[in-house]
């Protein structure tokens, strides 16, 4: 059964449009015209993240969301390779950042992900790419 998400954040559409511009630039770059769509979206997310201010080195990982979004904890936001992980803290952090991306702001989630080890940041990019691709296609931002 396909789960339908209803994204409510006002900034979500703006973020998708901006991400669409990064995707377009990536597609035009040499050698990326035939890149798989997931890799193209991940590269665009990384490019977008690079435009954000670097979190200070003294920054601790952010506190939990005060009013978390009510989403079943069934791994729906995790990349497939993490759904069988035995590290519930890592899984929870990744799910939290993806929820922030869809219900608040993609840029905020990307900025938060930079506070964690690289594998967490990469997993956030993977999870976001999996969830964003259908939305980009619906809006004609990804072919």
């Amino acid at each position: 059964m396909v789960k339908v998400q209803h994204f409510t954040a006002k900034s979500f559409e703006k973020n998708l449009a901006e991400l669409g511009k990064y995707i377009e630039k990536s597609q035009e770059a040499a050698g990326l015209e035939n890149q798989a769509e997931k890799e193209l979206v991940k590269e665009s997310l990384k490019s977008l993240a690079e435009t954000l201010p670097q979190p200070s080195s003294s920054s601790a990982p952010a506190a939990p969301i005060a009013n978390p979004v009510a989403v079943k904890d069934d791994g729906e936001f995790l990349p497939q390779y993490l759904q069988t992980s035995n590290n519930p803290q890592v899984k929870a952090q990744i799910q939290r950042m993806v929820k922030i991306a869809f219900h608040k702001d993609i840029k905020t989630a990307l900025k938060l992900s930079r506070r964690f080890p690289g594998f967490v940041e990469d997993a956030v990019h993977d999870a976001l790419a999996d969830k964003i691709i259908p939305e980009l296609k619906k809006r004609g931002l990804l072919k």
Side-chain angles (χ1 to χ4, degrees), residues 1 12 17 28 36 45 52 67 103 140:
M1 184 164 103
F12 185 72
E28 292 171 359
L45 285 167
L52 303 174
N67 296 312
H103 298 283

Side-chain angles (χ1 to χ4, degrees), residues 26 41 43 52 69 73 91 105 107 118-119 123 126 141:
S26 294
V41 172
E43 286 302 315
L52 303 174
V69 177
D73 186 19
K91 291 166 80 171
D105 184 60
K107 290 179 180 180
F119 76 93
D126 287 340
L141 298 170

Side-chain angles (χ1 to χ4, degrees), residues 45-139:
L45 285 167
K46 287 178 186 178
S47 295
L48 179 59
E50 289 171 3
T51 67
L52 303 174
Q54 184 72 21
S56 65
S57 59
S58 64
S59 298
I65 304 172
N67 296 312
V69 177
V71 177
K72 284 174 40 181
D73 186 19
D74 61 358
E76 70 179 279
F77 287 130
L78 294 174
Q80 188 169 356
Y81 62 86
L82 274 179
Q83 290 183 6
T84 58
S85 170
N86 292 330
N87 190 333
Q89 288 179 310
V90 168
K91 291 166 80 171
Q93 289 299 331
I94 293 166
Q95 286 180 317
R96 180 179 158 267
M97 286 180 267
V98 174
K99 289 174 189 177
I100 288 170
F102 286 112
H103 298 283
K104 290 188 179 183
D105 184 60
I106 291 172
K107 290 179 180 180
T108 300
L110 292 172
K111 195 183 318 182
L112 283 173
S113 74
R114 295 174 85 186
R115 295 181 179 180
F116 294 90
F119 76 93
V120 173
E121 185 176 7
D122 288 342
V124 170
H125 293 166
D126 287 340
L128 285 173
D130 288 341
K131 299 297 180 187
I132 287 176
I133 288 172
E135 297 302 317
L136 290 168
K137 285 182 176 181
K138 262 194 254 181
R139 290 159 178 82

Side-chain angles (χ1 to χ4, degrees), residues 5-69:
Q5 293 286 332
H6 297 285
F7 305 111
T8 57
K10 292 178 183 178
S11 62
F12 185 72
E13 293 296 329
K14 180 180 167 193
N15 288 165
L16 278 184
E18 187 172 354
L19 187 59
K21 291 176 186 174
Y22 280 94
I23 290 169
E24 196 173 303
K25 287 178 190 174
S26 294
Q27 285 175 323
E28 292 171 359
L32 296 181
E33 295 89 4
N34 296 321
Q35 190 173 7
E37 61 188 21
K38 182 173 179 176
E39 291 303 313
L40 187 61
V41 172
K42 282 174 44 180
E43 286 302 315
S44 299
L45 285 167
K46 287 178 186 178
S47 295
L48 179 59
E50 289 171 3
T51 67
L52 303 174
Q54 184 72 21
S56 65
S57 59
S58 64
S59 298
I65 304 172
N67 296 312
V69 177

